[in-house]
Amino acid sequence: MNGRTLDADDLARGVAHLDDETILRMLHDRYDEKAIYSSVNRMLIAINPYEDLGLYSAAMLETYAALGGESAPPPHAYAVASAAFKGLLAGGSQSIVITGESGAGKTETAKRMMQFLAHMAGAHVGERAGAEAHGAALDAKSPAALHHHLLRTNALMEAWGNARTTMNDNSSRFGKFLSVQYDSSAKLLGAQINTYLLEKTRVVQRGAGECSFHIFYMLLLGLPPSEAGQLELMPDVQSFRYARLVDADIDPAGRDGEGWAEQLAEVRGVLTDTIGIPAADVWSTLSLLAAVLHCGNIDFAVPAKGGTSAAAALHTGAMRPLKALARLLGVDAAELCDALTTRVIRAGAEWVTKPNTTAEACGLADALAKALYARLFDRIVASINGAVGLARPGAPTGGGLAHSFIGILDIFGFEHFGTNSLEQLLINYTNEQLQSLFNGIGMRRRGAPPAAGRRRGLARAPRASTRLTRALCSPLPFVLPFPSPPLPRRSLLGRPG
């Protein structure tokens, strides 16, 4: 251990050779002692214990909230948020990067940091510390109340953006950058959420042992029977292709110890009470989610003459989901059927209707479902930003060094499946680029040349060739070996005029 002891929180101090083996051995020994947090200079390493160790009590929160202490507290997610807040007070914007494999605890860590910042928003401006965490009455326009609203919106982001995977029961299937904006006196002004790379393909297909987004199971298993009847839903996930479980032994119920009905009630409460969306619009949102589910149940059959080029036709039992989809979308069922099974192309000066094959029709239905869900997700994010952003009604205005921010980047989980899609390639590549960007910024701020790590004995892991990946994703000119598909000549539900 190079003379190190378990109570040494910063693994980089007093080590003759800081290599992978040394770090892993020290982390293992500390984990055995229930010390899940360790530091390497300004980097915090957290190991998910998959149990409650009592690290997030009110007393612990107060310990890290004390500003100006001479002795640094042990490594903790609160310590990182505290350092960011101190940097903000010193007059500079701060950014926190949360990265790791799926299931490492990134989502929970981000929530703990927001909990600390919410506490500081109340304590620093003289409001009753921690009131927002206990539901006490707060001024609706106060910084603490705004942070409380931000914490509540986590329920929406997890419902629409998280899903169960083989590695994590609550895996974020999108990337998120949260910018919490303050004025020169560290008074909270507003917040902005930017998202990227929503895993839209999860709506229509999943791997073995995985589930779709949580909101679908809330809708199917949490709606009261009277409301489910209006949306033509039944409490059976196996009856809907987009929610169907690939592995019959997996039960999506009971996430976080709560029933789906309670989680759906929380989501609806946040939409109406926190975001301010009228109840009628919330019902329209649920109706669009039901429309996506019905879209997955539209089956297309190949006519009797067979062949892959045969024109697509609706399966005998597909009229019910088609009519339900058309009703929920407010369109004519016959026109919707025509839009899915035919396309219009131009031949000279005339427009000609050509039938789609079964594969093309199925692809159109899946594309419609993904587009509907992605637009709905974007609308939810926009509504959150409208409720907590600088442009919200009654938002305070800051002076002096206004609009400094604390940014929290919750990077999409690194994953490697048996079969990796192009989407997963882009996710991992984006994560690598973001991580490299922040690593470079950190090195420049410390003023250490890249070779310093090697002089200290820091081993560099061998890397596989990434020439093809970089060629595909590089902004430099690159010619693909196949032509791009032509753009559609009409929208899905409309003909050219």
Side-chain angles (χ1 to χ4, degrees):
M1 292 291 292
N2 296 321
R4 294 301 305 272
T5 59
L6 292 180
D7 59 354
D9 296 323
D10 192 338
L11 307 184
R13 294 179 182 175
V15 179
H17 300 286
L18 187 63
D19 53 21
D20 293 349
E21 182 180 357
T22 301
I23 292 178
L24 291 175
R25 186 166 61 247
M26 289 189 291
L27 290 175
H28 186 277
D29 291 341
R30 287 176 59 80
Y31 184 80
D32 287 342
E33 297 294 325
K34 303 296 185 181
I36 64 170
Y37 289 118
S38 303
S39 294
V40 178
N41 294 322
R42 299 187 65 183
M43 181 185 299
L44 177 71
I45 300 177
I47 304 177
N48 195 338
Y50 294 99
E51 61 175 309
D52 186 2
L53 299 179
L55 299 177
Y56 310 106
S57 63
M60 187 73 70
L61 193 64
E62 291 289 351
T63 299
Y64 288 92
L67 299 177
E70 294 182 0
S71 59
H76 197 286
Y78 291 161
V80 176
S82 177
F85 196 78
K86 290 179 182 178
L88 183 79
L89 294 177
S93 296
Q94 308 289 310
S95 289
I96 302 171
V97 183
I98 305 174
T99 181
E101 292 185 351
S102 181
K106 298 183 299 300
T107 299
E108 185 66 22
T109 298
K111 288 193 291 186
R112 293 302 178 184
M113 289 184 177
M114 278 304 304
Q115 179 190 17
F116 179 88
L117 295 177
H119 180 86
M120 295 305 298
H124 190 68
V125 298
E127 298 184 27
R128 183 161 56 87
E132 71 284 353
H134 303 287
L138 288 171
D139 180 0
K141 296 182 180 180
S142 70
L146 182 56
H147 258 302
H148 171 55
H149 291 167
L150 276 173
L151 292 174
R152 290 202 70 195
T153 58
N154 281 328
L156 300 182
M157 300 303 295
E158 291 187 15
W160 262 271
N162 288 23
R164 179 174 181 173
T165 68
T166 55
M167 301 178 65
N168 185 3
D169 287 349
N170 190 33
S171 177
S172 297
R173 311 313 302 165
F174 66 103
K176 179 178 70 173
F177 180 74
L178 171 64
S179 175
V180 186
Q181 295 142 345
Y182 299 84
D183 66 8
S184 57
S185 63
K187 180 180 179 181
L188 180 64
L189 299 179
Q192 177 81 18
I193 296 176
N194 294 301
T195 62
Y196 61 94
L197 287 178
L198 174 68
E199 191 185 28
K200 295 181 291 185
T201 55
R202 182 167 292 270
V203 174
V204 301
Q205 63 182 14
R206 295 156 302 283
E210 299 198 346
C211 298
S212 188
F213 293 102
H214 295 323
I215 190 63
F216 288 124
Y217 302 106
M218 294 181 193
L219 194 68
L220 290 173
L221 304 177
L223 268 182
S226 58
E227 293 184 332
Q230 296 179 51
L231 300 179
E232 300 186 45
L233 300 177
M234 60 188 73
D236 179 14
V237 298
Q238 297 300 108
S239 298
F240 294 89
R241 182 168 69 90
Y242 287 164
R244 190 172 298 153
L245 302 178
V246 180
D247 227 334
D249 294 334
I250 293 181
D251 183 5
R255 187 176 69 90
D256 295 335
E258 291 183 312
W260 294 114
E262 289 77 9
Q263 295 180 50
L264 181 61
E266 180 185 8
V267 165
R268 297 175 82 165
V270 174
L271 287 172
T272 55
D273 301 335
T274 302
I275 306 302
I277 298 178
D281 291 344
V282 173
W283 178 251
S284 297
T285 300
L286 300 182
S287 299
L288 285 176
L289 288 171
V292 173
L293 289 173
H294 287 299
C295 189
N297 281 11
I298 300 177
D299 292 329
F300 299 92
V302 178
K305 61 181 180 180
T308 56
S309 61
L314 284 180
H315 193 272
T316 306
M319 284 305 300
R320 181 176 178 180
L322 177 72
K323 290 181 178 179
L325 173 62
R327 180 178 66 83
L328 293 172
L329 293 182
V331 299
D332 182 76
E335 291 185 2
L336 177 59
C337 178
D338 179 63
L340 292 174
T341 56
T342 63
R343 65 184 184 274
V344 177
I345 60 176
R346 188 166 186 170
E350 297 182 355
W351 292 94
V352 179
T353 299
K354 181 179 179 180
N356 289 326
T357 65
T358 300
E360 290 170 339
C362 290
L364 277 175
D366 286 347
L368 174 61
K370 290 189 291 185
L372 284 173
Y373 192 83
R375 294 288 183 90
L376 194 55
F377 179 83
D378 290 341
R379 181 60 180 170
I380 293 295
V381 174
S383 298
I384 293 174
N385 287 333
V388 301
L390 292 174
R392 72 186 187 281
T397 57
L401 298 177
H403 301 181
S404 295
F405 68 89
I406 295 178
I408 301 178
L409 178 64
D410 186 354
I411 291 183
F412 213 143
F414 290 87
E415 290 178 311
H416 179 69
F417 301 107
T419 301
N420 294 281
S421 64
L422 176 62
E423 190 173 57
Q424 188 62 44
L425 169 68
L426 297 178
I427 289 168
N428 288 345
Y429 182 82
T430 301
N431 288 345
E432 292 283 1
Q433 293 285 23
L434 288 171
Q435 187 68 54
S436 176
L437 170 65
F438 278 86
N439 286 348
I441 293 174
M443 292 292 290
R444 286 197 299 270
R445 285 187 174 180
R446 291 182 59 197
R454 292 194 293 273
R455 287 199 298 267
R456 295 187 58 192
L458 182 61
R460 172 177 291 183
R463 298 182 62 183
S465 174
T466 58
R467 292 180 60 187
L468 177 59
T469 302
R470 295 173 67 181
L472 285 170
C473 304
S474 173
L476 298 177
F478 181 76
V479 180
L480 295 175
F482 46 85
S484 301
L487 294 175
R489 297 305 302 245
R490 61 165 185 163
S491 64
L492 181 63
L493 299 180
R495 292 182 177 275

mmCIF file of all heavy atoms in Angstrom, residues 302-331:
data_model
loop_
_atom_site.group_PDB
_atom_site.id
_atom_site.type_symbol
_atom_site.label_atom_id
_atom_site.label_comp_id
_atom_site.label_asym_id
_atom_site.label_seq_id
_atom_site.Cartn_x
_atom_site.Cartn_y
_atom_site.Cartn_z
ATOM 1 N N VAL A 302 -48.857 -9.705 -44.833
ATOM 2 C CA VAL A 302 -48.523 -9.808 -46.254
ATOM 3 C C VAL A 302 -49.678 -10.507 -46.959
ATOM 4 O O VAL A 302 -50.165 -11.535 -46.486
ATOM 5 C CB VAL A 302 -47.221 -10.607 -46.453
ATOM 6 C CG1 VAL A 302 -46.908 -10.741 -47.927
ATOM 7 C CG2 VAL A 302 -46.070 -9.923 -45.714
ATOM 8 N N PRO A 303 -50.169 -9.948 -48.068
ATOM 9 C CA PRO A 303 -51.261 -10.596 -48.805
ATOM 10 C C PRO A 303 -50.918 -12.027 -49.205
ATOM 11 O O PRO A 303 -49.754 -12.439 -49.167
ATOM 12 C CB PRO A 303 -51.439 -9.697 -50.030
ATOM 13 C CG PRO A 303 -50.922 -8.370 -49.595
ATOM 14 C CD PRO A 303 -49.790 -8.672 -48.655
ATOM 15 N N ALA A 304 -51.940 -12.761 -49.626
ATOM 16 C CA ALA A 304 -51.779 -14.190 -49.900
ATOM 17 C C ALA A 304 -50.728 -14.483 -50.948
ATOM 18 O O ALA A 304 -50.074 -15.518 -50.913
ATOM 19 C CB ALA A 304 -53.134 -14.777 -50.321
ATOM 20 N N LYS A 305 -50.524 -13.576 -51.907
ATOM 21 C CA LYS A 305 -49.537 -13.857 -52.948
ATOM 22 C C LYS A 305 -48.119 -13.871 -52.405
ATOM 23 O O LYS A 305 -47.203 -14.376 -53.062
ATOM 24 C CB LYS A 305 -49.662 -12.829 -54.079
ATOM 25 C CG LYS A 305 -49.405 -11.394 -53.640
ATOM 26 C CD LYS A 305 -49.581 -10.442 -54.825
ATOM 27 C CE LYS A 305 -49.324 -8.998 -54.419
ATOM 28 N NZ LYS A 305 -49.484 -8.075 -55.564
ATOM 29 N N GLY A 306 -47.918 -13.326 -51.184
ATOM 30 C CA GLY A 306 -46.627 -13.417 -50.501
ATOM 31 C C GLY A 306 -45.552 -12.589 -51.169
ATOM 32 O O GLY A 306 -45.805 -11.789 -52.056
ATOM 33 N N GLY A 307 -44.291 -12.836 -50.706
ATOM 34 C CA GLY A 307 -43.172 -12.086 -51.243
ATOM 35 C C GLY A 307 -42.872 -10.847 -50.425
ATOM 36 O O GLY A 307 -43.784 -10.203 -49.909
ATOM 37 N N THR A 308 -41.622 -10.513 -50.292
ATOM 38 C CA THR A 308 -41.235 -9.367 -49.475
ATOM 39 C C THR A 308 -41.653 -8.052 -50.096
ATOM 40 O O THR A 308 -41.753 -7.036 -49.415
ATOM 41 C CB THR A 308 -39.703 -9.344 -49.275
ATOM 42 O OG1 THR A 308 -39.074 -9.336 -50.560
ATOM 43 C CG2 THR A 308 -39.241 -10.563 -48.493
ATOM 44 N N SER A 309 -41.903 -8.051 -51.420
ATOM 45 C CA SER A 309 -42.306 -6.811 -52.084
ATOM 46 C C SER A 309 -43.810 -6.644 -52.146
ATOM 47 O O SER A 309 -44.304 -5.685 -52.726
ATOM 48 C CB SER A 309 -41.732 -6.773 -53.507
ATOM 49 O OG SER A 309 -42.244 -7.863 -54.267
ATOM 50 N N ALA A 310 -44.556 -7.589 -51.567
ATOM 51 C CA ALA A 310 -46.011 -7.501 -51.604
ATOM 52 C C ALA A 310 -46.484 -6.306 -50.792
ATOM 53 O O ALA A 310 -45.872 -5.912 -49.807
ATOM 54 C CB ALA A 310 -46.631 -8.791 -51.057
ATOM 55 N N ALA A 311 -47.611 -5.708 -51.209
ATOM 56 C CA ALA A 311 -48.142 -4.530 -50.542
ATOM 57 C C ALA A 311 -48.591 -4.883 -49.136
ATOM 58 O O ALA A 311 -49.160 -5.945 -48.881
ATOM 59 C CB ALA A 311 -49.300 -3.958 -51.349
ATOM 60 N N ALA A 312 -48.334 -3.958 -48.188
ATOM 61 C CA ALA A 312 -48.729 -4.173 -46.801
ATOM 62 C C ALA A 312 -50.238 -3.996 -46.669
ATOM 63 O O ALA A 312 -50.858 -3.191 -47.361
ATOM 64 C CB ALA A 312 -48.008 -3.197 -45.891
ATOM 65 N N ALA A 313 -50.807 -4.743 -45.770
ATOM 66 C CA ALA A 313 -52.224 -4.630 -45.462
ATOM 67 C C ALA A 313 -52.399 -4.795 -43.962
ATOM 68 O O ALA A 313 -51.601 -5.481 -43.309
ATOM 69 C CB ALA A 313 -53.034 -5.689 -46.214
ATOM 70 N N LEU A 314 -53.427 -4.178 -43.422
ATOM 71 C CA LEU A 314 -53.666 -4.307 -41.993
ATOM 72 C C LEU A 314 -54.038 -5.734 -41.654
ATOM 73 O O LEU A 314 -54.812 -6.398 -42.363
ATOM 74 C CB LEU A 314 -54.790 -3.364 -41.558
ATOM 75 C CG LEU A 314 -54.449 -1.876 -41.434
ATOM 76 C CD1 LEU A 314 -55.672 -1.108 -40.985
ATOM 77 C CD2 LEU A 314 -53.315 -1.671 -40.453
ATOM 78 N N HIS A 315 -53.488 -6.218 -40.542
ATOM 79 C CA HIS A 315 -53.866 -7.521 -40.035
ATOM 80 C C HIS A 315 -55.316 -7.474 -39.576
ATOM 81 O O HIS A 315 -55.862 -6.415 -39.269
ATOM 82 C CB HIS A 315 -52.949 -7.915 -38.875
ATOM 83 C CG HIS A 315 -53.044 -9.344 -38.492
ATOM 84 N ND1 HIS A 315 -53.969 -9.796 -37.576
ATOM 85 C CD2 HIS A 315 -52.341 -10.441 -38.894
ATOM 86 C CE1 HIS A 315 -53.818 -11.096 -37.418
ATOM 87 N NE2 HIS A 315 -52.839 -11.510 -38.219
ATOM 88 N N THR A 316 -55.949 -8.649 -39.529
ATOM 89 C CA THR A 316 -57.367 -8.709 -39.186
ATOM 90 C C THR A 316 -57.672 -8.020 -37.862
ATOM 91 O O THR A 316 -58.660 -7.302 -37.722
ATOM 92 C CB THR A 316 -57.836 -10.175 -39.124
ATOM 93 O OG1 THR A 316 -57.516 -10.824 -40.350
ATOM 94 C CG2 THR A 316 -59.336 -10.246 -38.867
ATOM 95 N N GLY A 317 -56.793 -8.203 -36.858
ATOM 96 C CA GLY A 317 -57.062 -7.635 -35.545
ATOM 97 C C GLY A 317 -56.435 -6.277 -35.314
ATOM 98 O O GLY A 317 -56.389 -5.809 -34.168
ATOM 99 N N ALA A 318 -55.982 -5.622 -36.399
ATOM 100 C CA ALA A 318 -55.271 -4.356 -36.226
ATOM 101 C C ALA A 318 -56.181 -3.139 -36.289
ATOM 102 O O ALA A 318 -55.727 -2.024 -36.026
ATOM 103 C CB ALA A 318 -54.174 -4.230 -37.287
ATOM 104 N N MET A 319 -57.441 -3.313 -36.650
ATOM 105 C CA MET A 319 -58.320 -2.156 -36.783
ATOM 106 C C MET A 319 -58.589 -1.494 -35.430
ATOM 107 O O MET A 319 -58.678 -0.259 -35.351
ATOM 108 C CB MET A 319 -59.643 -2.570 -37.428
ATOM 109 C CG MET A 319 -59.554 -2.797 -38.927
ATOM 110 S SD MET A 319 -58.874 -1.374 -39.829
ATOM 111 C CE MET A 319 -60.064 -0.095 -39.425
ATOM 112 N N ARG A 320 -58.680 -2.279 -34.382
ATOM 113 C CA ARG A 320 -58.973 -1.682 -33.068
ATOM 114 C C ARG A 320 -57.854 -0.746 -32.606
ATOM 115 O O ARG A 320 -58.145 0.400 -32.240
ATOM 116 C CB ARG A 320 -59.238 -2.781 -32.041
ATOM 117 C CG ARG A 320 -59.563 -2.232 -30.662
ATOM 118 C CD ARG A 320 -59.923 -3.340 -29.699
ATOM 119 N NE ARG A 320 -60.195 -2.792 -28.365
ATOM 120 C CZ ARG A 320 -60.546 -3.539 -27.318
ATOM 121 N NH1 ARG A 320 -60.691 -4.852 -27.453
ATOM 122 N NH2 ARG A 320 -60.767 -2.965 -26.156
ATOM 123 N N PRO A 321 -56.583 -1.192 -32.590
ATOM 124 C CA PRO A 321 -55.533 -0.243 -32.191
ATOM 125 C C PRO A 321 -55.388 0.923 -33.158
ATOM 126 O O PRO A 321 -55.057 2.035 -32.742
ATOM 127 C CB PRO A 321 -54.269 -1.099 -32.143
ATOM 128 C CG PRO A 321 -54.556 -2.303 -32.952
ATOM 129 C CD PRO A 321 -56.021 -2.540 -32.800
ATOM 130 N N LEU A 322 -55.651 0.693 -34.455
ATOM 131 C CA LEU A 322 -55.572 1.782 -35.419
ATOM 132 C C LEU A 322 -56.626 2.841 -35.121
ATOM 133 O O LEU A 322 -56.323 4.053 -35.120
ATOM 134 C CB LEU A 322 -55.748 1.244 -36.837
ATOM 135 C CG LEU A 322 -55.760 2.320 -37.938
ATOM 136 C CD1 LEU A 322 -54.361 2.890 -38.118
ATOM 137 C CD2 LEU A 322 -56.286 1.759 -39.247
ATOM 138 N N LYS A 323 -57.853 2.410 -34.853
ATOM 139 C CA LYS A 323 -58.914 3.367 -34.535
ATOM 140 C C LYS A 323 -58.633 4.082 -33.218
ATOM 141 O O LYS A 323 -58.901 5.289 -33.087
ATOM 142 C CB LYS A 323 -60.263 2.644 -34.482
ATOM 143 C CG LYS A 323 -60.764 2.161 -35.837
ATOM 144 C CD LYS A 323 -62.117 1.469 -35.709
ATOM 145 C CE LYS A 323 -62.640 1.021 -37.077
ATOM 146 N NZ LYS A 323 -63.949 0.324 -36.952
ATOM 147 N N ALA A 324 -58.081 3.345 -32.243
ATOM 148 C CA ALA A 324 -57.747 3.985 -30.963
ATOM 149 C C ALA A 324 -56.654 5.031 -31.167
ATOM 150 O O ALA A 324 -56.726 6.140 -30.607
ATOM 151 C CB ALA A 324 -57.302 2.925 -29.959
ATOM 152 N N LEU A 325 -55.650 4.695 -31.974
ATOM 153 C CA LEU A 325 -54.574 5.644 -32.252
ATOM 154 C C LEU A 325 -55.113 6.874 -32.955
ATOM 155 O O LEU A 325 -54.773 8.014 -32.593
ATOM 156 C CB LEU A 325 -53.501 4.959 -33.116
ATOM 157 C CG LEU A 325 -52.377 5.853 -33.649
ATOM 158 C CD1 LEU A 325 -51.572 6.462 -32.515
ATOM 159 C CD2 LEU A 325 -51.465 5.056 -34.582
ATOM 160 N N ALA A 326 -55.959 6.667 -33.972
ATOM 161 C CA ALA A 326 -56.513 7.801 -34.716
ATOM 162 C C ALA A 326 -57.358 8.687 -33.806
ATOM 163 O O ALA A 326 -57.285 9.925 -33.878
ATOM 164 C CB ALA A 326 -57.339 7.290 -35.892
ATOM 165 N N ARG A 327 -58.156 8.084 -32.946
ATOM 166 C CA ARG A 327 -59.005 8.877 -32.039
ATOM 167 C C ARG A 327 -58.165 9.695 -31.072
ATOM 168 O O ARG A 327 -58.430 10.883 -30.833
ATOM 169 C CB ARG A 327 -59.937 7.944 -31.270
ATOM 170 C CG ARG A 327 -60.868 8.674 -30.302
ATOM 171 C CD ARG A 327 -61.796 7.708 -29.608
ATOM 172 N NE ARG A 327 -61.068 6.791 -28.736
ATOM 173 C CZ ARG A 327 -60.698 7.088 -27.484
ATOM 174 N NH1 ARG A 327 -60.961 8.288 -26.967
ATOM 175 N NH2 ARG A 327 -60.059 6.198 -26.748
ATOM 176 N N LEU A 328 -57.122 9.096 -30.515
ATOM 177 C CA LEU A 328 -56.290 9.800 -29.539
ATOM 178 C C LEU A 328 -55.459 10.900 -30.189
ATOM 179 O O LEU A 328 -55.125 11.897 -29.545
ATOM 180 C CB LEU A 328 -55.378 8.800 -28.818
ATOM 181 C CG LEU A 328 -56.094 7.795 -27.915
ATOM 182 C CD1 LEU A 328 -55.127 6.726 -27.415
ATOM 183 C CD2 LEU A 328 -56.748 8.504 -26.732
ATOM 184 N N LEU A 329 -55.119 10.717 -31.473
ATOM 185 C CA LEU A 329 -54.353 11.738 -32.194
ATOM 186 C C LEU A 329 -55.256 12.782 -32.857
ATOM 187 O O LEU A 329 -54.767 13.818 -33.311
ATOM 188 C CB LEU A 329 -53.472 11.095 -33.266
ATOM 189 C CG LEU A 329 -52.326 10.207 -32.776
ATOM 190 C CD1 LEU A 329 -51.526 9.679 -33.962
ATOM 191 C CD2 LEU A 329 -51.404 10.960 -31.826
ATOM 192 N N GLY A 330 -56.558 12.499 -32.913
ATOM 193 C CA GLY A 330 -57.484 13.440 -33.532
ATOM 194 C C GLY A 330 -57.405 13.462 -35.039
ATOM 195 O O GLY A 330 -57.586 14.518 -35.656
ATOM 196 N N VAL A 331 -57.147 12.297 -35.660
ATOM 197 C CA VAL A 331 -57.071 12.213 -37.117
ATOM 198 C C VAL A 331 -58.054 11.154 -37.599
ATOM 199 O O VAL A 331 -58.579 10.355 -36.813
ATOM 200 C CB VAL A 331 -55.639 11.864 -37.593
ATOM 201 C CG1 VAL A 331 -54.661 12.945 -37.152
ATOM 202 C CG2 VAL A 331 -55.202 10.505 -37.064
#
